[in-house]
Amino acid sequence: MSPQNEVEFIQKSEKIEPPVAYKRNSYVRSMAEYQEKYKHSIEDPASFWREIADELTWIQRENSVIEGSMPDFSFFPGSKINVCQNCVDRHALDPKRRNKVAIFFEGENGERRSWTYLQLHREVQKFANVLLSLGLSKGDVVSVYMQNLPETYVVLLACFRLGILYNTVFAGFSPEALRERILSSNAKAVICANGSYRRGKVLNLKDTVDAALRDEHPVQHVIVFRRIENLEVTMDPTRDHDYEELMQKASASCEVVPLDCNDPGLLIFTSGTSGKPKGIVHAGGGFLLGTYAYSKYQLDLRDEDVYWNTADIGWLTAHIFVLVGGLALGVTTILYEGAIDYPHQGRVYEMIERYQVNKLFSAPTAFRMLMKYGEELAKKYDLSSIQLLASVGEPLNPEAWHWLYRVIGQNQVVINNTWGQTETGGTPLASLPGATPMKPGSCGVPFFGHQLDVVNQDGQSVPDGTPGFLVIRTVFPTLARDVFGDRKRYVNNYFAPMPGVYFTGDSAVRDSDGQYWVLGRVDDVINVSGHRISTMEMESSLIAHEAVVEAAVVGQPDEIKGAVPVAFVTIDKQYTPDEELANALQRKVIEDIGSFAKPERIHFVNVMPKTRSGKIIRRMLREIIEEGTVRGDATGLEDSDILDKLIAEVKEDSANR
Ligand code: PRX
């Protein structure tokens, strides 16, 4: 859709009211109620955050609520809180919740087990003692290379208990990607599973860890959880430990460490506009405050819910809405290990039916996949328990929205398309499910205490209905506090582009009802199935291959994945532009970044469209693959003759495959 058509579509979009039955049980039940509470939260943000803080357990509470401004701000400075205590202890010590199931786990192989809050409490304390016994304590960093397992939750909660910064690395990332994260965070320990099931195959995670640690590194301990009984791995007796052996020796009682609300709590790497991934630092206490508030009001999480968020623990969504936000609210969650369409396409439905899931949170990509599998399949299962479907990470297109509403939701459901980023540590935009009229494709309204705006290049607000840059004007507790070890990059990336506001890097439109529609990135980041990939990072990987002279990567729209990366390369004359070289280049990207970043196609070209200052104009490459021609302004080209040549080359190259 062209930007003009897009805006027309937004202005005309229909409004669907949340089901009456849902409204009755929602924390906010009408737009008027939302608007009043929102207005008050912007006029007096401290009162809103104080209200949230009052629902949490504090070790010590001071009066001050918000101090400073972007980029140096703090929430409840001097007050002491512990994330783990709020997510585990307070439920385990509550007679009404202690025997409630915290986690229902299902492995891809069919294994099932569950833990109550009381059991979780015991395991977490033991593992915290394990960490202490290895000499790890507040301020240290550990890398966690595990898939969705109850033990992964134990590890992360134990880190929160002690103030150890954890960094989860998606269990599927290559040795190089893992190594880079270990080195840049100076991790003292790695905690991994020996292996993981994925689409029926076994991934040997310990082998990846060994490969990542081949050369010099800061890691003193590797703790290996034996997920797959008979998967043999090599254990280095000077460095590696068996999880179970350590747990057997550990005592089940470990005090929580009092932490300042602004102390760093977790570290998560994400792609930015430059080649190297950034280690985003979130404050532990701040993350708890915010994620508790988002989970409560945007998902209406309640004691009686059976809530399944399919996000992998390698992505921040699982930390926001399950590990911290979800557990802080004391809900029953479902944790699933592998591919949600394995061993059969109806696996998601089968699990919804088995546990009577009433709130399902997943990625738009996964929802589009279900749509592709068809309506007949969905009809074979009892999905009547579903009340809320939520998603984050990429646009939820109106077609998928309607399909979900009708087929999975049976027209009696709330769909909440939330917007957030690794850096925002939560979702500043979303529906308040019982209050906001739903508009298919919209990302809803600003959350309490968050002042969002759409502005032009000069930072001035644009009228409703006009696309512009999405910015956030107020500080909030889950906003990233730093880029690990690189304060300058933090300030330059997020606060320098437009002084006084947080620059999201996204473009958006606000409609006349105050709902926001996020249109896409304004920088060189592409979103493949919700995985953020820096095109620069992919280009650096390609250029490092000896045959490649220049590389440019662009995103091509894809029905299921949202976008797929397509690479354009010019190569050294000594090499032949053939299938073998294309395969080798694809393998290189997979090795350097991970399989999700594999370029869908490699186009060998002789020339690149460039500006006079020598910058590759990626927009033109995007237009060539999408429309076979360049429609936008071509006057910035250094050599305007090259366009026809380039278009012909891409056509020929595509025809040859
Ligand atoms: O471009 C926006 C897109 O995803 C980016 C953030 O990606 P990541 O940091 O991986 O997200 C983690 C989520 C906690 C954003 O800058 N994005 C996210 N949600 C939406 C979206 N684009 C459109 N619609 C959304 N609902």
Side-chain angles (χ1 to χ4, degrees):
M1 242 192 270
S2 74
Q4 191 50 40
N5 290 346
E6 201 150 20
V7 170
E8 272 170 31
F9 172 82
I10 289 170
Q11 296 294 30
K12 280 198 240 136
S13 76
E14 63 192 302
K15 282 191 223 173
I16 302 170
E17 280 298 319
V20 177
Y22 187 97
K23 272 178 180 275
R24 245 182 257 131
N25 214 13
S26 180
Y27 286 110
V28 184
R29 297 176 189 185
S30 70
M31 250 337 242
E33 202 184 320
Y34 158 73
Q35 277 156 346
E36 194 193 322
K37 195 170 167 75
Y38 178 72
K39 188 164 169 273
H40 185 230
S41 76
I42 296 301
E43 285 163 4
D44 183 7
S47 76
F48 174 71
W49 293 115
R50 210 180 287 119
E51 180 191 314
I52 296 296
D54 288 346
E55 296 179 23
L56 297 168
T57 300
W58 294 80
I59 299 165
Q60 182 188 325
R61 181 90 177 265
E62 304 293 337
N63 285 332
S64 173
V65 179
I66 308 172
E67 277 183 21
S69 57
M70 290 173 197
D72 296 301
F73 60 93
S74 54
F75 278 80
F76 299 95
S79 292
K80 302 270 189 281
I81 194 162
N82 187 288
V83 177
C84 181
Q85 183 176 29
N86 278 276
C87 295
V88 185
D89 298 44
R90 67 178 186 148
H91 310 310
L93 301 176
D94 174 354
K96 285 203 291 298
R97 278 209 184 121
R98 64 192 320 173
N99 293 320
K100 180 179 174 177
V101 172
I103 299 174
F104 279 116
F105 169 72
E106 230 179 272
E108 196 191 69
N109 61 343
E111 176 187 339
R112 287 184 220 161
R113 54 198 168 102
S114 59
W115 276 352
T116 61
Y117 275 100
L118 199 61
Q119 287 170 308
L120 186 61
H121 190 217
R122 191 181 151 83
E123 297 294 310
V124 167
Q125 292 186 77
K126 282 169 86 173
F127 195 73
N129 279 324
V130 165
L131 292 169
L132 289 174
S133 74
L134 296 179
L136 294 154
S137 59
K138 184 182 165 195
D140 287 336
V141 178
V142 300
S143 285
V144 179
Y145 191 62
M146 298 171 85
Q147 70 274 36
N148 280 357
L149 293 171
E151 287 72 16
T152 315
Y153 276 56
V154 165
V155 167
L156 304 180
L157 290 163
C159 288
F160 276 132
R161 194 170 194 86
L162 302 175
I164 292 172
L165 252 97
Y166 67 73
N167 167 224
T168 51
V169 180
F170 177 59
F173 270 169
S174 66
E176 286 69 23
L178 174 61
R179 178 176 174 77
E180 182 175 308
R181 283 154 177 78
I182 290 171
L183 297 187
S184 29
S185 63
N186 200 22
K188 272 199 183 166
V190 175
I191 303 155
C192 67
N194 65 345
S196 165
Y197 290 109
R198 185 85 199 171
R199 281 193 190 290
K201 288 201 205 116
V202 169
L203 296 183
N204 191 319
L205 300 180
K206 174 63 165 54
D207 273 1
T208 308
V209 173
D210 289 341
L213 299 180
R214 209 160 279 148
D215 299 315
E216 244 179 88
H217 59 77
V219 173
Q220 296 164 14
H221 302 283
V222 176
I223 304 175
V224 186
F225 173 68
R226 193 173 271 277
R227 158 72 181 116
I228 297 174
E229 203 39 59
N230 42 21
L231 176 68
E232 278 316 313
V233 296
T234 345
M235 296 289 274
D236 171 350
T238 65
R239 187 196 70 189
D240 300 348
H241 313 265
D242 182 82
Y243 179 98
E244 275 307 327
E245 277 174 27
L246 294 176
M247 287 291 267
Q248 269 161 22
K249 286 187 263 171
S251 123
S253 159
C254 178
E255 291 288 306
V256 298
V257 173
L259 298 164
D260 186 282
C261 188
N262 302 283
D263 278 345
L266 66 137
L267 184 60
I268 186 138
F269 283 81
T270 190
S271 298
T273 43
S274 69
K276 222 167 109 69
K278 299 186 283 256
I280 300 295
V281 180
H282 284 293
F287 194 74
L288 169 67
L289 272 162
T291 59
Y292 175 89
Y294 299 124
S295 305
K296 175 175 170 180
Y297 286 108
Q298 297 174 344
L299 304 181
D300 274 323
L301 286 188
R302 290 184 175 277
D303 257 327
E304 58 272 26
D305 286 342
V306 180
Y307 159 58
W308 183 16
N309 187 319
T310 66
D312 188 277
I313 197 67
W315 309 119
L316 197 62
T317 305
H319 306 240
I320 298 167
F321 285 112
V322 194
L323 176 74
V324 182
L327 294 185
L329 280 148
V331 292
T332 294
T333 62
I334 297 194
L335 195 60
Y336 176 67
E337 177 188 32
I340 57 170
D341 57 345
Y342 191 87
H344 61 91
Q345 294 180 343
R347 179 81 190 240
V348 169
Y349 302 138
E350 181 193 312
M351 286 180 56
I352 292 174
E353 186 180 274
R354 176 156 47 249
Y355 298 96
Q356 291 291 288
V357 172
N358 67 332
K359 294 188 176 160
L360 178 71
F361 197 128
S362 198
T365 291
F367 288 139
R368 284 192 291 268
M369 181 188 78
L370 294 178
M371 183 167 88
K372 193 182 82 182
Y373 293 156
E375 198 167 333
E376 287 313 306
L377 181 68
K379 280 191 182 146
K380 288 192 188 145
Y381 298 86
D382 174 13
L383 307 178
S384 59
S385 55
I386 291 288
Q387 298 169 332
L388 176 89
L389 297 165
S391 72
V392 72
E394 28 162 351
L396 182 63
N397 50 310
E399 193 196 353
W401 195 103
H402 282 289
W403 191 88
L404 287 175
Y405 186 69
R406 187 173 54 80
V407 178
I408 301 191
Q410 290 151 21
N411 300 327
Q412 282 303 318
V413 73
V414 172
I415 297 186
N416 198 352
N417 171 26
T418 70
W419 172 88
Q421 306 179 298
T422 305
E423 294 86 342
T424 60
T427 40
L429 287 174
S431 285
L432 277 291
T436 329
M438 297 179 277
K439 295 189 177 190
S442 140
C443 296
V445 293
F447 189 63
F448 304 126
H450 297 55
Q451 199 182 1
L452 282 89
D453 203 358
V454 181
V455 301
N456 64 18
Q457 209 110 33
D458 305 324
Q460 288 154 340
S461 305
V462 297
D464 291 346
T466 312
F469 299 102
L470 180 66
V471 298
I472 307 182
R473 297 193 177 278
T474 42
V475 289
F476 48 99
T478 60
L479 181 59
R481 304 303 179 96
D482 207 354
V483 169
F484 192 77
D486 201 344
R487 185 84 190 158
K488 218 164 121 193
R489 202 168 166 205
Y490 169 73
V491 175
N492 283 344
N493 258 289
Y494 305 115
F495 306 101
M498 286 184 189
V501 299
Y502 165 73
F503 185 74
T504 66
D506 279 350
S507 61
V509 177
R510 183 180 45 222
D511 67 21
S512 45
D513 289 319
Q515 296 212 12
Y516 283 68
W517 300 67
V518 174
L519 306 174
R521 300 287 306 180
V522 294
D523 55 21
D524 292 328
V525 174
I526 56 174
N527 205 321
V528 181
S529 301
H531 300 198
R532 232 163 96 176
I533 308 174
S534 149
T535 52
M536 302 262 286
E537 196 180 349
M538 294 183 67
E539 288 165 10
S540 317
S541 159
L542 289 164
I543 290 167
H545 189 283
E546 53 194 6
V548 176
V549 178
E550 265 184 324
V553 174
V554 297
Q556 178 181 1
D558 181 89
E559 230 174 78
I560 305 283
K561 297 181 177 171
V564 289
V566 172
F568 290 79
V569 292
T570 58
I571 56 170
D572 191 298
K573 297 248 167 342
Q574 295 169 28
Y575 291 86
T576 324
D578 56 12
E579 206 58 40
E580 196 182 320
L581 182 57
N583 291 340
L585 295 178
Q586 284 172 326
R587 274 199 307 276
K588 172 110 183 43
V589 175
I590 293 172
E591 272 161 31
D592 289 345
I593 305 173
S595 53
F596 61 93
K598 178 185 167 191
E600 186 79 3
R601 282 193 312 284
I602 308 264
H603 283 299
F604 294 108
V605 292
N606 290 307
V607 283
M608 293 277 193
K610 286 187 185 166
T611 62
R612 287 185 195 109
S613 59
K615 275 198 184 138
I616 299 176
I617 312 176
R618 291 176 180 77
R619 167 183 64 84
M620 293 190 176
L621 296 174
R622 248 189 323 262
E623 288 173 4
I624 292 173
I625 51 170
E626 276 175 38
E627 302 177 24
T629 185
V630 170
R631 56 177 162 76
D633 175 36
T635 51
L637 269 180
E638 176 204 16
D639 172 3
S640 53
D641 291 345
I642 70 135
L643 269 192
D644 291 341
K645 236 190 296 177
L646 185 65
I647 293 167
E649 276 180 18
V650 172
K651 245 188 214 147
E652 195 189 322
D653 203 35
S654 309
N656 287 343
R657 303 219 172 167

